[in-house]
Amino acid sequence: MPQVAKRDLDGPELLELIIHSLESDKAEEIVQIDLRGRSSIGDFMVICSGRSSRQVAAMSEKLVDRIKQTTGRTSKIEGKDTGDWVLIDTGDVVVHVFRPEVREFYQLEKMWVQGGSA
């Protein structure tokens, strides 16, 4: 099997890869928030939902694998074992994958979205 060259993606390119991966895995209510100039945690934040703990864990695992395959970059992942709220830190993009009930409870996007626009 031929080795695919790894690419170093900038923040917007990595964001595009992440959004495409989540859409492919049927993530729901994907919200992207531009953090540039607002926070040092990353350039972008992505928040989305999966329908079940199993889907949340599977989407998160696939996303981490796709990022690794494409860029060679290892992402930090937390919460995959329970599948209620998975945090994936890619460096430039922070991804939160929730079960709908957990997302509703924490309302994370309300802390970051100003004036109702992301």
Side-chain angles (χ1 to χ4, degrees):
M1 176 182 260
Q3 184 71 1
V4 177
K6 306 287 189 239
R7 298 185 343 228
D8 189 24
L9 304 180
D10 65 14
E13 291 171 324
L14 184 58
L15 176 65
E16 186 177 321
L17 171 70
I18 290 167
I19 297 296
H20 179 72
S21 176
L22 294 170
E23 288 174 343
S24 295
D25 292 333
K26 308 290 188 250
E28 298 177 348
E29 299 181 47
I30 300 171
V31 174
Q32 52 186 317
I33 302 167
D34 190 337
L35 299 177
R36 293 174 292 188
R38 295 173 57 193
S39 176
S40 62
I41 64 170
D43 291 339
F44 299 96
M45 181 181 297
V46 175
I47 303 171
C48 67
S49 299
R51 291 181 298 281
S52 66
S53 295
R54 176 175 269 168
Q55 185 190 21
V56 166
M59 279 192 302
S60 301
E61 186 71 34
K62 283 184 183 179
L63 176 58
V64 168
D65 289 344
R66 286 177 180 135
I67 292 169
K68 176 78 170 172
Q69 291 298 317
T70 303
T71 67
R73 185 184 298 190
T74 302
S75 303
K76 298 177 188 129
I77 184 169
E78 294 184 26
K80 187 177 57 95
D81 293 338
T82 59
D84 288 334
W85 176 0
V86 179
L87 170 68
I88 303 161
D89 184 352
T90 70
D92 294 328
V93 182
V94 178
V95 183
H96 299 272
V97 185
F98 288 98
R99 275 190 317 103
E101 303 82 21
V102 178
R103 182 176 182 176
E104 178 64 29
F105 179 79
Y106 286 103
Q107 299 185 1
L108 189 60
E109 52 263 62
K110 284 191 177 184
M111 289 193 305
W112 291 99
V113 178
Q114 295 175 339
S117 63

